[in-house]
Amino acid sequence: MNESDLHPSVVNFKRFINKHPKLLKEIRRSGKSLQVYYEKWALLGEEDSYWDQFIEEKPEAEEDGDKKNKELFNQFLKMAENMDIEKIQKQANQLSNAITTVQEIISQFQSTKSTGTFNQNPINWYRD
C-alpha cells in the first residue's frame, strides 16, 4: 500500500511518528496499538504538551560533543606551540637510526643462519 493510497491524516501521523523516534520506541515497548496514539494525535494535535515527553534532546548532546572537540583541539594547539621542533627532529633521527641498526642485525643473523646451519649437500641428508 502506497502513501498515496492512505488518508492524508494517516500520512501526517506517519510523518509525526517518524519525527519522534522516542514515541516510536514507547509504542514498541508498551505494546499498545498505533490506534491509541493516532486518536490522541487526532484529538490533541501535534503541538499539545503531551507529546513533549517524546521529544529527544539531541541538540544539547551534540553541543556538548562540539564543546569537547573544541577543547581538545585547543589543548592540541597549546601543546604544538610549546613543542621544540629541533628536539623532535633529533629524536626522530635517533629512532630512524635505531631501526636501521636493528634491521642490519636481523639481516646478519638471517645470512649466517642460511649459510652455516644446513648442510648444502643433499646427498648427505639421508646418511646415518
Side-chain angles (χ1 to χ4, degrees), residues 4-121:
S4 60
D5 297 339
L6 297 174
H7 191 273
S9 65
V10 174
V11 173
N12 290 335
F13 180 66
K14 281 179 68 175
R15 288 185 187 140
F16 176 74
I17 286 191
N18 288 332
K19 288 180 191 175
H20 298 82
K22 199 171 179 182
L23 173 62
L24 189 58
K25 289 177 187 175
E26 174 63 24
I27 292 170
R28 290 179 181 159
R29 186 190 63 77
S30 68
K32 293 181 182 177
S33 71
L34 283 170
Q35 182 68 33
V36 173
Y37 291 98
Y38 175 76
E39 289 172 0
K40 283 184 183 182
W41 175 80
L43 292 173
L44 301 174
E46 290 184 21
E47 304 302 323
D48 192 69
S49 62
Y50 175 78
W51 304 114
D52 291 344
Q53 62 185 327
F54 300 112
I55 294 175
E56 289 190 5
E57 299 172 4
K58 280 189 178 180
E60 291 178 15
E62 290 174 359
E63 289 176 8
D64 289 342
D66 289 342
K67 288 179 184 177
K68 289 178 184 178
N69 288 339
K70 288 178 183 178
E71 289 175 11
L72 184 64
F73 185 71
N74 287 336
Q75 288 176 352
F76 178 73
L77 286 177
K78 286 179 185 177
M79 285 177 32
E81 290 173 358
N82 295 332
M83 285 184 195
D84 185 9
I85 301 300
E86 291 178 17
K87 269 187 176 178
I88 294 172
Q89 184 64 39
K90 287 179 185 177
Q91 290 177 350
N93 286 336
Q94 288 175 350
L95 180 63
S96 176
N97 290 339
I99 291 173
T100 303
T101 304
V102 169
Q103 287 175 337
E104 288 174 359
I105 291 171
I106 290 173
S107 66
Q108 286 176 357
F109 280 129
Q110 287 176 343
S111 66
T112 58
K113 184 179 178 182
S114 64
T115 58
T117 319
F118 295 108
N119 188 356
Q120 299 297 327
N121 190 356

